[in-house]
Each structure stands twice: as structure tokens, then as C-alpha cells.
Amino acid sequence: MKDSDNVICLKGIGAKTAKLFERIGITSIGDLLLYYPKGYQKYLAPKKIVESKPEETITVELFVVADFKWKKVRNLSVGSGLCSDGQTKIAITYFNAPYMKKRMTAGGCYLFRGKLKMENGRYSMDQPKLYSWKEYEALMGQLWPCYGLTAGLTNRTVLKAVRQILACEDFEPEEYVPDKLRQEYGLLSRKEALSQIHFPKDYESLLRARQRLVFDEFFLFLLSIRQTKEYNQAIPTDYPMIETAWPGRLMEQLPFSLTGAQLRVWEEIKADLTSGLCMNRLVQGDVGSGKTIVAFLALLLAVSNGYQGALMAPTELLAAQHFEQLCQLTQKYKLPFSPVLLTGSVGASAKKELYRSIGEGEANVIIGTHALIQEKVSYHKLGLVITDEQHRFGVRQRELLNEKGGRAHVLVMSATPIPRTLAIILYGDLHLSAIRELPVGRLPIKNCVVGTSYRHKAHEFLVKEVRKGNQAYVICPMVEAGDDETEGLENVTDYGERLKNILPEDIHVEILHGKMKPADKKRVMEAFAAGDVHVLVSTTVIEVGINVPRATVMMIENAERFGLAQLHQLRGRIGRGTEQSYCIFINGSDSEASAERLSILNHSNDGFAIAEEDLKLRGPGDLFGIRQSGEMDFKIADIYQDAELLKKVSISVDHILSEGGLETQEWAPLRRYLDKNAGNFIDFGTI
Ligand code: ADP
Ligand code: MG
């Protein structure tokens, strides 16, 4: 079996399943091995109902009091029966599960695993899984992988496929890190790490496996970027600029005056752009600090110098919003912009026309997602590239851009504070600007952290705010009801339905999530921005950058599942107008630690301080929660969480390169690996 073999060569995988795998980006054995679990499930020892809490997924030994009654309800066959754990009675229900009939008889004792529910003092469990003690004991004491799935593909299928590969005798992934380096870092072998990341013996082995794989990601990434020119030198620009009157004129006409911090950053940018060297600047400013207008000023300087400017956003939603804003500004103040919007969802013929107008220089501002540098766009005179909330834009991307034209100026804008040491590793030698000041006239957001019992009050509060003419966001961590691992977490689909039923009919509730078609997302977001949708139930797709000043409530379900920095970002969607705004964090867990963590948000509205606290508080227990950052497209590494390792690897890589690079014998396996995976490697970290 070779890495490059198609997954179809595995037993149990036919053309149909292979298609499903393809949908999650897996075609080869190698892809599958690198498809790390999203999380792990632990089967805990069975316990009594009195020891458990409602909504908890438990395993309990139950005695079937009387035979189950099976009836037909519409097209469904429903079986229900009463069971008892000796102390507490519980109603068990199965839907369309005729095979269960044979498996249980009155008087028998079985292990049931499912989500415990309680209503009006009565316990129930729907569709629990049934185990014998022998079956269950085999599951206990191990960590079981939970993979990202797609409709039709079960966790079991993925798990079995991975197990088959690992069990294969000729499974021998190439070890490309020399022994000396492995010892220095205490790294597992690649083979061991790959087996343990999928089927960890215990938590300790899982952490070690992860450490090895994170090392590999950083190591390969840094090796590739350190060898580019872009990494550490100031390069003369192909697009020198001079000052023009346009930016100053726009500033005078705006309905507000720029804050001191905005003005300072603008001066820094202007100095870069007119210096003759390529700008490479990162602007960090808390959510709502007004980065967009600064970006527009920079675009204005570039365009009035006869160049094109590009503005890249992480989502189509945000790109569309920037485009709208720029169009309005252009019209209102008669600016020399002719902007276009280029995203992945533009149809083929429209795209052709866009390419033409970009190529001929007719369009002078190009706004879009990463399609901007990824696709076959050729620019006329692209002098300035701005990326908004897009940390994935690093040295590698700059290099890619240079291949498309000359050496453009680069401005990266971010609300997520990145420590300087990390920024330099990712972006090379760069300059930093900070906006640590909010525009005047903003009322500080009022926060509260509450348990789920407060939920109905929160809903009443939403109604009250909507009646005042305001709008609200409700955030859930999941798109739809999920697998075991995510059980108990709120999901947008069901929550949206529920809210539609609970809230008065004239309150318009809509849902938004990443799996929706771009056109639907756009429609919903536009309706929300226009005030036609009052309550938007969404995943974190709205996290970055969206600006709807009339939204005054942000309610976040399962707040404990998010990183603090991410919660702070979400909170940044409100408090953007002059009205008082409110953020309600619903804590779905009753652990002390998560209450303590969330209370930091209660006391601070300062993103920089929150990010620091977050790093301090996050321990290994949070390793496999929702990932904080998708920076640089690492599969498993997290530049924040693994910051220390990143710094260390950075030093090692510099050392290796200064000692003669990869030419020596000990690096032969790595050279071989890179040759074989050339495609992957070059793309590594590109968008
Ligand atoms: P972010 O830094 O999060 O990207 P935005 O650029 O979206 O923030 O700005 C948030 C809101 O503040 C926008 O509605 C913008 O028009 C407004 N704004 C920006 N600068 C100022 C200012 N100096 N005074 C008042 N409002 C401002
Ligand atoms: Mg922004």
C-alpha cells in the first residue's frame, strides 16, 4: 500500500464511499492518514441516573420493566418502554429501529448509552445505543477518534479505513527528521505519531503524537518560507507613490473625524507607501476600532497614483460588505475608484469579464476573497494588497503575488493580536501599527455570563430589543445536530426552528451558516443588514468584520466551547452604533474553570488583555476544543497555543539553513519526501 494509492483500494470502500471521502478532501491513503480526528470520545464507566445531569450523555445499566410497545405513527415505527436502574425510572424510546425488538426482553438488563433528558421531573432517553457488558468494557479506557464527516459518511467508516491502513504490514511512513533533532525535541517517530493521533493509547500518548505532528507542520512551513527572498529583506518597490490630495480631501468630508490612533496609523502607512521600499505592515486594532476606513485611505492613495489596489477578506460576506461600503463612499464623495467584487461564487461568464477589466486596468480596486491571488487573475498594475482579518496571508502568499506582477505593497489588518515574535515568524520582517482606541461616543457593551436556565429570559430580552427597533445575533457552535462528540451542543438549524416557534410571529428569525449556498448566505446577510431580519441565528461565520450598527444583542450559546479571543471577536459585532449593546454568554457547562474563564469577558472589553489571559488560562484540556485560529492552514498546529514550539523550531530552522541547509546526508530522507510531495509542499500554507 502506497501513500498515493486511492482509498478505493481499501477493503469496504467502493466507488460510492470513495466519492464521499472525496467530498471531505480525501482521495489517497496519504490524505486519509493526515485527516486527523476533530476530537476524541471517551466511554466512561456506567453510572446511575441520580449521579447524572440532564443533557449529559451517559451509559447506564437498565432493567427493562415491561416489554416495549411498538406502534406506527404516520410512517414511523415507534417503540417505547419503561426501564429502571434500580433507583430511578426512565422512559426509553426508539424510532424506526425494528431490530431493537429482538434485542431486549422484559426482565433483561442492558447497558444503554444516550443523552439523558428530564421534563416535568420525568427522565427519558431517545434512541440510546445498546451494549452488553463485554462490548462496553472493550470500549472503555480508550480514546476513540471522532472525524469531521459529511452526509452519508459515518465515523465508523472513516475509523475502520484508517485502522486498516495502520494495521497494514507495509505501513512505514518515511522518517525524515534526523535522530539528533528528534532526540533534542523528544519527538515520537512519524509512524508512531500517526498511529497514536488516530488511536491514542491514552491522553499522554495523544499529546506526544500531536507534538510530533505540530513540529512537522512548523518545520516544513518554516523551511519553505525561510528560503524565500521575501522573508527578511526590505525590497525596493515596483510601485513607488507620491502623496496626493485625495486622502486628505476624503478625511475632511467624512461625517466623523479620525481618532488619534487612526491618524497615526494612516501617517505610518503613508510614509511606507512613499518610501520607495515595499510596505510590509501589520495593523492590529481591536474590533470596532475603525480599520476599514484606514484601508480605504491607503487604496485611495494607490489609485490616485495610477495603480490598482486589492482588498482581500476571509469570507464572501465580508468581501461583499467592503465592496458595498466602498461603492457608497465612491458615489457620495466622487472618488476615483472603479471597484469590482471577485469571489468564488461569481459565474463563469461574469468572471471572464471581470478578469478582462482587471487585466486591462479598467477596474482599479479589486475586492474579494482569496480567489484574488489564487485564481488566474492577471493584474494591470497591482500596487497595493490589503488583507483584512486574514492571517493566512504570509510570506508565502507575498511570493505568490510577486510571481503575478511586480512587488506590491502589503498591508495586513487584524483584530486578533499576534505577539511580535510570532508575527515576524509568519510575515518576515514587518512593521507593526496598533489602534488601541475606539471612536468616541461608543457606550461600553454590557455583558453577562449565565447558565442555560436563563435562556428563556434572554429570549424575552431579544424580543424587547427588537421592539425598540434593534436587532440580535444568536450564535451556536454547530450547524446541525451532530455525532456523539458534539451531542449537547446547540446547533443553528434546530435552534433557528425553535426560536421561530417561541418568538412572536412578526419577529423575523433567519439562520446563517457556512454550509449554505453563497447566494443564500448573501441574501440572509443583506436582509439582516437592511433590518428586515430581526434575529440572526448563526455559526461563527459572522465572526469577522461584519458591520450592522443596529444590532445590539449578541447571545452566544455554549460559550464555554469557544476561545476567549473568538468570543471577543463575536462581541465586536455589536456596540457599533450609539445605542447601548448587550452581550449574553450562555455557559452550557458547569465546570468552575469555564465559569472563571468566561468571567474575564465580563470584566474586560480590551481585546489585547483578553488574548493574553486566554493564552495563560488555556491548558491541555482545551487542546481539542473548537480551534481558535485557522491561521496559515495548519492542519493541527495552532500558532497561539503552540507558540513556544514555533519559536523553538524557528531557531532550529535558521540553524540548519546556516549550517549548509538540506544538502547533507542526514537530510536525504527529507529531500526525498519533499520531492515526492512537491505538490503538497509548495502549496503548504498557501491559500
Ligand atoms: P474594525 O476595526 O472592526 O474593522 P470598522 O472599520 O468596521 O471596524 O469600523 C466600525 C464602525 O465605526 C464603522 O461603522 C465605521 O464607519 C465607524 N468608524 C470608524 N472610524 C470612526 C471614527 N473615527 N469615528 C466614528 N466612527 C467611526
Ligand atoms: Mg474590520
Side-chain angles (χ1 to χ4, degrees), residues 324-337 339:
E324 282 307 313
Q325 271 182 16
L326 194 78
C327 288
Q328 279 171 17
L329 223 57
T330 304
Q331 233 178 18
K332 196 161 163 199
Y333 304 114
K334 308 269 177 302
L335 303 176
F337 287 136

Side-chain angles (χ1 to χ4, degrees), residues 34 190 201 236 260 267 275 353 379 413 419 428 501 526 548 593 612 615:
L34 296 184
R190 241 177 96 68
K201 259 199 323 274
E267 287 301 324
S275 73
E353 167 55 19
Y379 294 91
M413 303 194 299
N501 289 330
E526 278 169 3
V548 180
E612 269 166 34
L615 267 185

Side-chain angles (χ1 to χ4, degrees), residues 139-293:
L139 292 172
M140 273 198 308
Q142 268 205 59
L143 291 165
W144 292 89
C146 303
Y147 296 96
L149 302 170
T150 180
L153 187 65
T154 66
N155 199 55
R156 221 174 117 78
T157 307
V158 184
L159 187 150
K160 280 170 77 176
V162 176
R163 188 146 61 187
Q164 227 184 102
I165 304 173
L166 296 176
C168 187
E169 271 176 23
D170 58 1
F171 165 64
E172 200 56 59
E174 176 126 69
E175 180 53 78
Y176 50 70
V177 176
D179 289 348
K180 210 173 83 210
L181 198 59
R182 264 176 55 201
Q183 274 157 20
E184 183 190 330
Y185 282 82
L187 298 178
L188 293 182
S189 71
R190 241 177 96 68
K191 177 174 180 174
E192 188 63 16
L194 286 170
S195 336
Q196 292 294 324
I197 200 72
H198 289 285
F199 297 102
K201 259 199 323 274
D202 48 34
Y203 197 63
E204 183 66 20
S205 330
L206 172 59
L207 290 183
R208 291 203 58 199
R210 184 179 179 282
Q211 193 218 12
R212 163 70 210 243
L213 300 170
V214 170
F215 173 91
D216 284 18
E217 287 192 342
F218 285 158
F219 188 67
L220 295 181
F221 170 72
L222 290 174
L223 267 180
S224 84
I225 64 167
R226 287 295 151 85
Q227 295 174 29
T228 67
K229 251 204 203 124
E230 281 65 28
Y231 179 69
N232 50 14
Q233 20 184 313
I235 305 165
T237 177
D238 295 327
Y239 303 99
M241 298 188 200
I242 53 164
E243 251 196 79
T244 71
W246 281 100
R249 214 179 296 158
L250 173 60
M251 278 191 274
E252 273 168 27
Q253 287 174 297
L254 284 174
F256 50 78
S257 45
L258 295 193
T259 63
Q262 280 172 317
L263 279 174
R264 206 172 45 246
V265 171
W266 166 238
E267 287 301 324
E268 289 167 351
I269 293 171
K270 205 166 60 181
D272 285 352
L273 292 176
T274 53
S275 73
L277 295 176
C278 268
M279 170 165 75
N280 188 23
R281 183 171 290 279
L282 169 63
V283 175
Q284 304 196 331
D286 211 347
V287 279
S289 63
K291 294 183 291 292
T292 316
I293 188 69

